[in-house]
């Protein structure tokens, strides 16, 4: 009894506010048929349960260390699969979801026993005191309680068993309140519609209107305010901050955008979370009945590309129906910035570059933004007709929020089934692509540089596509190129345009250089003086654009092209240089404007978490990239000390100042720090991240017999980190 009173006293001193006035979605109010315990998040976080023993003199038939077994039941029944998270696999912790009722029940109650529950702030509090009032709620003589809370966080439940007025067992459990991200198609119809309605609001309601007229907080951002961040980072003229060989920030940057979107959704409907898209399902469903190309193209017939989900592809490339029918690509003008409430430094300047970064350079852990780097991002290049501003927002020649090399002037978000005259049916990720990724790459840096290409990249290629003048000019190459070489050039046409623009082998009309009704093209200035009838082999082979073209070819393909006549070599080069390539938005830096972007990248994070929880990741260190120096600096975003200064996100953890201000600033997180937050085996993840994934299986995958040791988690069935192997759990 003395132990229990002491524990209850400690709980009372650090308890939870029970706020019955906190708003709940109206649709849930009819579910209150029993006692409902409404728990509000602490401004603190707890990990792992504390066992409270009964008094030493107690004589019972139970061992004093016995935990009272408790079951949890919610709207979805797959909570056991989440025990792969070490902090949920201790046997002394539970997961509940915000705004959804969960029932905690004694598994095998003793008929002669009574049970009481005390709910309060965890006893193992390593963070600062909450600014919420300190109370504890107790419920006596109840074998089950219903729990509903409205904010994420964690706290403790002390459960006491009493027989004949003698305390026989007392157990303490940690209760984590986190959102659960599920596969989009596994949601109930009601929850799917809730998500789609909330998500589509970001395309329809500006930041300004949402905050000033609809009562959303400053956490609400419209889609344009997120799209401009990705557009700036991915299409910056100095370097791509998110992708390619400098794309070490691929995971961090895309998770940050996903989390900011989810935070905005929850301003509209606090019950929703961001679903992931297991895109291996599409390939598996048609593999057995169709050949590869027909199978891939049939993905457009998937239920996800219907009005019930992402909307279908229209005849002119627009989204034809559903919640995103005919959504527009914004033009970067004053109205855009006013509506999206982009002000301060970012009103005039790019989200890429060195703003807000440390000045150090070159050492492991530094941000890579010394005076040399800062000067790089202030310079301009090109001539009067072609200005590239490294520190300005990115737009294309129509002043639309698109890549400057993307000659797509269509005012709608576009998707295409074409790839410059070919049917876009070559690539889609399957189970083997995921297995290969997880098996081959065992360090963070190897894993992150490769996952962006496969299995992730082909989804962008398929949904976006490429069309325009190239659909007429590229097919003519088939008259003198072999099928493999021809197919290779078409499949890489988008990459070639992007990289040749960066290296200034091609120039494109300046921003606002093209009218709405005009079709513009880029060109290679170096071949402007060439003539098909008089150009020589030497002219072409000395041309830098021609030389760069060879970097995309295999050795056999290079020999084939070298053997062409000078006339055909010129036709090939002029086709690559001068054809207008219009990219569907998912294949370009404007991909955030297509809603499927976020579900695709949630799946990448799920793959990352599976790998990180497998115990096969031999090195999680974020090193300074190899092969760079002060004279040849790496893209600053690829360095471990680069800060995500644009990330406006509220984690679970809030350190409250004496004046009540929030000291925890997401904009000051370095890359290496944020990666620790995103690694699900860490204390930082358990404390700070407000969501988990529902499972780590790819259920439609039929793994080939040569992978017989692999289960549907697409890794060795024994490859899981055990909670007891982690010092931070053992030390609690």
């Amino acid at each position: 009894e003395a132990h229990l009173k002491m524990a209850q006293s400690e709980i009372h001193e650090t308890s939870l506010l029970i706020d019955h006035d906190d708003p709940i979605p109206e649709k849930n109010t009819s579910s209150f048929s029993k006692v409902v315990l409404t728990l509000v998040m602490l401004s603190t976080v707890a990990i792992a349960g504390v066992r409270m023993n009964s008094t030493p003199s107690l004589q019972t038939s139970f061992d004093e260390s016995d935990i009272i077994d408790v079951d949890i039941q919610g709207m979805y029944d797959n909570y056991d699969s989440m025990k792969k998270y070490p902090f949920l696999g201790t046997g002394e912790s539970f997961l509940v979801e915000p705004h959804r009722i969960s029932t905690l029940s004694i598994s095998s109650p003793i008929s002669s026993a009574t049970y009481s529950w005390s709910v309060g702030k965890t006893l193992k509090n390593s963070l600062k005191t909450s600014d919420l009032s300190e109370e504890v709620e107790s419920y006596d003589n109840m074998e089950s309680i219903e729990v509903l809370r409205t904010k994420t966080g964690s706290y403790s439940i002390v459960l006491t068993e009493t027989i004949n007025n003698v305390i026989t067992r007392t157990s303490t459990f940690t209760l984590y309140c986190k959102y659960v991200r599920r596969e989009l198609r596994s949601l109930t119809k009601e929850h799917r519609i809730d998500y789609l309605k909330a998500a589509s609001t970001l395309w329809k309601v500006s930041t300004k209107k949402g905050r000033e007229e609809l009562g959303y907080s400053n956490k609400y951002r419209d889609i344009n305010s997120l799209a401009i961040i990705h557009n700036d980072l991915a299409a910056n003229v100095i370097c791509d901050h998110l992708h390619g060989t400098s794309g070490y920030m691929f995971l961090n940057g895309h998770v940050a955008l996903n989390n900011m979107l989810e935070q905005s959704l929850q301003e509209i409907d606090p019950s929703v979370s961001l679903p992931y898209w297991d895109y291996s399902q599409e390939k598996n469903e048609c593999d057995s009945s169709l050949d590869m190309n027909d199978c891939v193209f049939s993905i457009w017939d998937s239920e996800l590309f219907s009005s019930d989900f992402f909307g279908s592809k229209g005849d002119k490339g627009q989204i034809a129906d559903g919640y995103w029918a005919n959504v527009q690509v914004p033009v970067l003008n004053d109205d855009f910035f006013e509506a999206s409430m982009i002000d301060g430094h970012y009103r005039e300047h790019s989200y890429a570059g060195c703003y807000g970064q440390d000045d150090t350079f070159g050492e492991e852990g530094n941000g890579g933004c010394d005076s040399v780097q800062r000067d790089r991002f202030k310079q301009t290049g090109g001539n009067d007709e072609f200005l590239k501003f490294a520190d300005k927002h990115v737009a294309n020649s129509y002043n639309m929020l698109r890549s400057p090399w993307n000659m797509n002037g269509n005012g709608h978000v576009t998707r295409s089934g074409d790839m410059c005259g070919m049917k876009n049916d070559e690539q889609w990720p399957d189970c083997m692509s995921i297995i290969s990724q997880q098996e081959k790459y065992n360090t963070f840096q190897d894993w992150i540089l490769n996952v962006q290409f496969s299995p992730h990249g082909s989804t962008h290629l398929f949904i976006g596509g490429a069309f325009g003048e190239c659909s007429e000019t590229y097919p003519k190459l088939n008259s003198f190129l072999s099928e493999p070489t021809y197919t290779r050039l078409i499949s890489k046409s988008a990459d070639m345009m992007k990289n040749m623009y960066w290296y200034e082998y091609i120039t494109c009309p300046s921003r606002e250089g093209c009218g709405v009704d005009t079709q513009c093209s880029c060109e290679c200035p170096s071949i402007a003086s060439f003539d098909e009838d008089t150009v020589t082999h030497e002219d072409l082979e000395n041309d830098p654009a021609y030389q760069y073209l060879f970097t995309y070819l295999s050795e056999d393909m290079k020999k084939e092209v070298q053997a062409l006549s000078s006339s055909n070599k010129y036709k090939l080069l002029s086709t690559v240089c001068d054809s207008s390539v219009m990219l569907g938005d998912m294949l370009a830096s404007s991909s955030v404007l297509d809603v499927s972007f976020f579900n695709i990248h949630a799946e990448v994070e799920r793959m990352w978490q599976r790998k990180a929880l497998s115990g096969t990741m031999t090195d999680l260190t974020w090193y300074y990239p190899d092969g760079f120096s002060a004279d040849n600096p790496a893209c600053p975003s690829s360095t471990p000390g680069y800060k995500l200064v644009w990330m406006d996100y509220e984690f679970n953890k809030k350190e409250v100042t004496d004046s009540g201000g929030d000291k925890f600033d997401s904009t000051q997180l370095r890359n290496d720090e944020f990666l620790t937050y995103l690694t699900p085996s860490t204390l930082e993840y358990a404390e700070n991240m407000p969501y988990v994934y529902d499972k780590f299986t790819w259920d439609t995958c039929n793994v080939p017999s040569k992978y017989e040791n692999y289960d549907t988690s697409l890794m060795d069935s024994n490859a899981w980190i055990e909670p007891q192997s982690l010092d931070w759990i053992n030390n609690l």
Side-chain angles (χ1 to χ4, degrees):
E1 290 177 347
H3 286 209
L4 181 60
K5 287 179 180 178
M6 186 191 315
Q8 289 176 332
S9 174
E10 287 188 68
I11 295 174
H12 183 75
E13 291 175 2
T14 55
S15 62
L16 251 145
L17 172 64
I18 308 302
D19 185 358
H20 298 283
D21 294 325
D22 209 15
I24 348 175
E26 191 172 84
K27 62 178 178 291
N28 288 334
T29 57
S30 61
S31 302
F32 290 21
S33 57
K34 297 183 181 179
V35 177
V36 176
L37 184 62
T38 305
L39 306 175
V40 178
M41 180 191 77
L42 299 169
S43 295
T44 183
V45 176
I47 311 299
V50 182
R51 262 182 220 147
M52 296 175 52
N53 298 326
S54 55
T55 57
S57 60
L58 185 61
Q59 299 295 317
T60 75
S61 60
F62 300 102
D63 186 285
E64 63 179 11
S65 65
D66 281 349
I67 295 177
I68 306 171
D69 290 331
V70 175
D71 295 327
I72 184 167
Q73 184 176 5
M75 185 168 294
Y76 293 88
D77 295 326
N78 57 346
Y79 291 101
D80 280 349
S81 63
M82 296 173 227
K83 291 180 181 178
K84 296 301 185 182
Y85 286 96
F87 59 92
L88 294 176
T90 63
E92 299 180 1
S93 55
F94 300 103
L95 180 79
V96 292
E97 300 182 62
H99 298 276
R100 291 179 184 168
I101 294 174
S102 297
T103 302
L104 300 178
S105 305
I106 310 297
S107 301
S108 301
I110 298 171
S111 59
S112 59
T114 60
Y115 298 90
S116 62
W117 311 70
S118 296
V119 184
K121 183 159 57 171
T122 177
L123 299 178
K124 283 194 172 293
N125 171 27
S126 61
L127 304 181
K128 296 197 173 183
T129 304
S130 166
D131 63 339
L132 301 174
S133 66
E134 298 178 351
E135 300 175 2
V136 66
E137 288 288 322
S138 296
Y139 295 84
D140 298 326
N141 299 322
M142 299 180 68
E143 293 180 1
S144 66
I145 60 173
E146 285 189 338
V147 179
L148 175 70
R149 71 275 137 250
T150 58
K151 295 184 181 179
T152 57
S154 60
Y155 37 88
S156 288
I157 291 181
V158 178
L159 175 58
T160 304
E161 179 186 81
T162 303
I163 300 177
N164 296 328
N165 295 319
V166 177
I167 296 173
T168 52
R169 289 182 293 175
T170 301
S171 298
T172 301
F173 303 94
T174 302
L175 199 63
Y176 290 91
C177 173
K178 294 180 183 286
Y179 286 95
V180 177
R181 293 181 174 178
R182 295 181 169 85
E183 214 282 332
L184 185 54
R185 286 160 288 196
S186 74
L187 299 178
T188 66
K189 182 177 181 180
E190 178 188 10
H191 289 166
R192 184 187 80 223
I193 291 172
D194 288 344
Y195 163 70
L196 295 172
K197 283 183 176 178
S200 60
T201 300
L202 273 65
W203 276 256
K204 300 168 185 174
V205 175
S206 70
T207 304
K208 186 178 180 67
K209 181 176 181 179
R211 293 179 184 180
E212 295 183 357
E213 297 181 29
L214 301 181
Y216 302 152
S217 79
N218 287 343
K219 291 187 288 185
Y220 177 77
R221 305 173 67 111
D222 63 30
I223 195 60
N224 291 343
S225 66
L226 296 174
I228 193 174
I229 296 172
H230 188 273
N231 202 54
D232 281 353
L233 295 175
N236 182 267
V237 295
I238 299 298
C239 59
D240 186 333
H241 287 49
L242 295 172
H243 311 94
T245 56
S246 60
Y248 292 97
M249 203 171 77
F250 175 75
L251 178 70
N252 283 21
H254 289 95
V255 170
L257 288 167
N258 266 10
N259 291 357
M260 290 165 69
L261 173 115
E262 186 176 60
Q263 186 171 255
S264 292
L265 301 184
Q266 289 161 359
E267 282 295 295
I268 301 160
D269 183 343
S271 71
V272 304
S273 57
L274 175 64
Y276 61 88
W277 174 13
D278 174 7
Y279 30 78
S280 69
Q281 288 189 30
E282 271 66 33
K283 189 70 161 54
N284 296 329
E285 287 171 0
C286 65
D287 255 344
S288 59
S289 58
L290 299 169
D291 65 34
M292 186 188 76
N293 298 111
D294 287 340
C295 172
V296 170
F297 204 74
S298 74
I299 290 169
W300 285 118
D301 298 324
S302 163
E303 63 179 324
L304 288 180
F305 291 108
S306 73
S307 59
D308 291 334
F309 290 89
F310 300 145
S312 59
K313 174 175 62 68
D315 294 340
K316 296 182 179 179
Q318 80 282 11
I319 301 175
D321 48 32
Y323 294 90
W324 285 271
N326 298 309
V327 291
Q328 301 285 308
V329 176
V331 173
L332 267 64
N333 53 27
D334 288 341
D335 290 342
F336 169 90
F337 290 99
E338 289 289 338
S340 292
M341 298 185 75
I342 299 172
D343 51 20
H345 174 82
Y346 294 121
R347 179 65 181 251
E348 299 292 337
H349 300 278
S350 173
Y351 285 95
C354 284
Y355 174 72
Q357 304 296 330
D358 293 336
D359 291 331
T360 50
F361 180 86
E363 297 295 326
E364 180 178 320
N366 288 337
C369 272
D370 67 349
S371 58
V372 174
Q373 282 280 55
R374 292 181 188 279
D375 286 345
R376 290 177 79 207
F377 284 94
K378 291 177 182 176
Q379 68 184 358
T380 61
N383 53 45
D384 291 341
E385 297 299 320
F386 176 63
L387 293 178
K388 298 191 304 182
F389 294 93
D391 190 38
K392 299 297 183 184
H393 292 299
V394 171
N396 73 355
S397 301
Y398 299 89
N399 201 29
M400 291 178 175
L401 196 149
R402 283 181 170 135
S403 314
W405 56 87
N406 184 1
M407 293 294 101
N408 187 351
N410 189 328
H412 296 101
V413 173
T414 53
R415 301 167 178 167
S416 175
D418 293 334
M419 183 56 66
C420 285
M422 283 184 60
K423 191 177 182 181
N424 188 13
D425 59 3
E426 292 294 315
Q427 300 181 48
W428 189 264
D430 59 10
C431 303
M432 294 302 296
S433 65
I434 302 172
I435 289 174
S436 178
Q437 169 69 23
Q438 304 291 44
E439 183 182 44
K440 286 183 179 179
Y441 306 112
N442 296 316
T443 68
F444 161 70
Q445 303 217 156
D446 287 343
W447 194 94
I448 208 66
L449 287 183
N450 286 280
V451 73
Q452 54 186 304
F453 301 110
S454 176
H456 151 267
S458 55
T459 59
H460 284 266
L461 182 71
F462 176 83
I463 297 171
F467 51 102
E469 185 185 4
C470 70
S471 296
E472 299 175 3
T473 56
Y474 269 84
K476 295 176 182 178
L477 300 178
N478 206 15
S479 63
F480 57 84
L481 291 179
S482 67
E483 190 67 24
T485 304
Y486 169 66
T487 301
R488 173 71 175 175
L489 289 171
I490 286 184
S491 67
K492 291 297 179 182
S493 57
D495 283 343
M496 286 191 292
M497 287 294 293
K498 172 181 176 178
N499 292 327
M500 291 175 74
Y501 177 87
W502 269 338
Y503 292 130
E504 298 190 49
Y505 300 144
I506 66 170
T507 62
C508 304
S510 60
R511 183 165 161 171
E512 298 185 271
C514 298
V516 175
D517 298 322
T518 13
Q519 179 56 64
C520 291
S521 299
C522 303
E523 61 182 21
C524 291
S526 62
I527 68 169
S529 61
F530 291 173
D531 180 85
E532 179 183 341
D533 296 327
T534 59
V535 68
T536 67
H537 291 286
E538 184 178 6
D539 291 334
L540 292 164
E541 289 165 6
N542 288 331
D543 182 80
Y546 180 84
Q547 293 169 357
Y548 183 73
L549 180 64
F550 272 66
T551 63
Y552 287 89
L553 304 177
S554 68
E555 290 303 315
D556 287 343
M557 293 173 183
K558 290 176 184 177
K559 291 177 182 177
E560 176 188 344
V561 172
Q562 287 170 337
L564 294 175
S565 67
S566 59
S567 174
N568 283 339
K569 285 181 181 178
Y570 173 77
K571 290 176 183 176
L572 169 59
L573 182 58
S574 61
T575 296
V576 172
C577 283
D578 299 341
S579 298
S580 168
V581 179
M582 299 169 63
L583 303 176
D585 290 290
M586 271 296 281
L587 189 52
S589 55
S590 53
S591 52
V592 170
L593 294 171
D594 192 309
V595 62
S596 62
F597 169 95
F598 297 97
N599 312 101
I600 285 171
H601 287 278
E603 174 71 345
V604 173
E605 186 183 15
R606 188 171 75 109
M607 292 178 197
W608 161 253
Q609 290 199 4
R610 173 63 185 105
K611 180 66 176 181
L613 289 172
S614 71
T616 63
M617 190 72 79
T618 59
D619 193 348
L620 281 165
T621 308
W622 190 314
Y623 296 103
Y624 187 84
D626 291 333
F628 296 95
S629 64
D631 295 328
N632 177 33
C635 193
S637 65
S638 65
T639 63
Y642 193 77
K643 296 176 182 177
L644 285 78
V645 294
W646 46 267
M647 181 171 64
D648 181 14
Y649 186 64
E650 184 176 295
F651 296 92
N652 281 342
K653 174 180 175 182
K654 293 181 69 178
E655 297 181 1
V656 180
T657 66
D658 293 338
S659 61
D662 185 355
K663 292 198 303 183
F664 191 74
D665 187 354
S666 61
T667 66
Q668 294 306 300
L669 271 178
R670 295 157 41 113
N671 264 331
D672 51 5
E673 293 171 337
F674 191 37
L675 179 63
T676 303
Y677 278 49
L678 299 184
T679 303
S681 59
T682 64
L683 171 66
E684 288 79 3
Y685 182 94
E687 283 187 331
N688 298 300
M689 300 309 292
Y691 61 88
V692 294
Y693 286 88
D694 68 332
K695 60 183 179 180
F696 295 104
T697 55
W698 284 257
D699 295 332
T700 62
C701 287
N702 298 313
V703 182
S705 57
K706 70 175 182 177
Y707 288 99
E708 59 187 10
N709 292 327
Y710 288 74
D711 59 15
T712 53
S713 74
L714 304 187
M715 298 192 72
D716 190 307
S717 57
N718 297 314
W720 293 101
I721 291 176
E722 292 295 329
Q724 294 74 17
S725 69
L726 300 172
D727 288 342
W728 67 266
I729 285 183
N730 293 327
N731 291 336
L732 289 167

